[in-house]
Amino acid sequence: MVRLITQLSPKEEEMFRNMIRRLNTIVKSAHEMDVRVMVDAEQTYFQPAISRITQEFMRKYNKEKAIVFNTYQCYLREAFNEVSTDLEQAKRQNFYFGAKLVRGAYLDQERARAAALGYPDPTNPNYEATTEMYHKTLTECLRRIKEMKMKGEDMRKIGIMVASHNEDTVRFAIQKMKEIGVEPEDKVICFGQLLAMCDYITFPLGQSGYSAYKYIPYGPVNEVLPYLSRRAHENKGILQKIKKEKRLLAREILRRFVTGKFWYSPKGTYVPV
């Protein structure tokens, strides 16, 4: 980490070392308890340092399975190249690679900063291009998983969380899994959505045997509420999905009332992992 800290003042270096020590305590505990740690992504002017540190923790702790995951924002033009580069590094240095794929959260900030400082916009031009980048990046990860499977290598060398509220992206991931013969129990692909958002996607995934997780913000109310407010602003499109979810719930309640199965519990093959 020498190149990262040589430009810091003594006070900044002390803060940096304290941060690394705290992160190491968290990741070491996660490793001992067999719990995964997913490092979130930030703006492009912070992200290189975050990714560099995360890669170091991957190299140190991802020796037997993917414990540490880095987050890649697919609304960025360089998302595919960054994932490909990090996959190659993991392969060369022989550690397990973990990635959480998201669309991204700082679109307005990135574009405004690029315009103000006069450098090229680092984001994709529109939502469709972001979706294409997401699918392209996910496909590359799955291609490498398929390649390892054909060679008889451990497919778990690559672990991916598809963190998306987009139904088409979830369907795309499932279809690609079927094409390369990756089963839910292989534990190389998992899915994640925010708590109380898109439950109509999360629950069927879990009942079908896929690893599906709900992201739960946790902390003091005065700290969590601003975060939730920001996420609600960023995810305006999800409000439409909430309306759809309400329609689906109403339809299901009516179906249960008509069929006399009001307390019916769906039976799935979900196995917690």
Side-chain angles (χ1 to χ4, degrees), residues 77-103:
R77 297 175 187 268
E78 290 298 312
F80 177 81
N81 293 334
E82 289 178 4
V83 172
S84 299
T85 299
D86 291 349
L87 279 164
E88 282 299 317
Q89 182 175 337
K91 182 178 180 180
R92 290 197 306 269
Q93 298 188 13
N94 194 32
F95 60 82
Y96 285 61
F97 176 79
K100 181 176 73 170
L101 301 181
V102 302
R103 274 180 166 74

Side-chain angles (χ1 to χ4, degrees), residues 244-261:
K244 178 178 181 178
E245 189 166 354
K246 289 172 66 177
R247 290 197 303 270
L248 291 172
L249 286 171
R251 186 186 306 170
E252 177 64 12
I253 290 172
L254 178 62
R255 186 192 69 81
R256 294 189 184 193
F257 181 79
V258 171
T259 60
K261 296 180 179 180

Side-chain angles (χ1 to χ4, degrees), residues 79-265:
F80 177 81
N81 293 334
E82 289 178 4
V83 172
S84 299
T85 299
D86 291 349
L87 279 164
E88 282 299 317
Q89 182 175 337
K91 182 178 180 180
R92 290 197 306 269
Q93 298 188 13
N94 194 32
F95 60 82
Y96 285 61
F97 176 79
K100 181 176 73 170
L101 301 181
V102 302
R103 274 180 166 74
Y106 305 103
L107 183 65
D108 293 340
Q109 292 181 35
E110 294 287 2
R111 289 179 174 174
R113 190 172 190 270
L117 297 181
Y119 62 82
D121 182 357
T123 67
N124 288 311
N126 51 48
Y127 187 85
E128 289 72 25
T130 295
T131 296
E132 182 181 350
M133 177 65 73
Y134 196 117
H135 291 183
K136 178 182 178 182
T137 304
L138 177 59
T139 298
E140 174 63 14
C141 295
L142 290 169
R143 183 191 68 79
R144 290 174 181 257
I145 291 173
K146 180 180 180 180
E147 189 177 81
M148 288 190 293
K149 181 177 182 179
M150 294 178 64
K151 293 179 179 178
E153 300 174 0
D154 185 3
M155 291 191 299
R156 296 184 306 153
K157 290 284 261 185
I158 299 176
I160 304 296
M161 169 171 272
V162 179
S164 175
H165 299 91
N166 185 285
E167 299 167 50
D168 292 334
T169 292
V170 172
R171 291 192 188 98
F172 179 86
I174 291 174
Q175 182 59 40
K176 286 295 181 180
M177 289 175 66
K178 291 179 179 178
E179 288 177 9
I180 67 175
V182 172
E183 301 297 332
E185 55 267 25
D186 290 329
K187 301 180 183 179
V188 294
I189 304 291
C190 62
F191 298 85
Q193 288 86 37
L194 284 164
L195 180 68
M197 292 186 180
C198 296
D199 288 344
Y200 66 92
I201 294 177
T202 316
F203 293 164
L205 281 170
Q207 291 165 353
S208 300
Y210 294 91
S211 298
Y213 297 88
K214 300 302 284 188
Y215 177 82
I216 305 175
Y218 175 81
V221 173
N222 63 326
E223 294 182 13
V224 172
L225 280 180
Y227 167 82
L228 292 175
S229 175
R230 179 171 64 84
R231 292 309 301 263
H233 178 73
E234 292 163 355
N235 294 281
K236 294 175 183 175
I238 290 182
L239 296 178
Q240 296 299 320
K241 296 179 183 292
I242 292 175
K243 292 180 181 178
K244 178 178 181 178
E245 189 166 354
K246 289 172 66 177
R247 290 197 303 270
L248 291 172
L249 286 171
R251 186 186 306 170
E252 177 64 12
I253 290 172
L254 178 62
R255 186 192 69 81
R256 294 189 184 193
F257 181 79
V258 171
T259 60
K261 296 180 179 180
F262 199 79
W263 303 111
Y264 167 76
S265 296

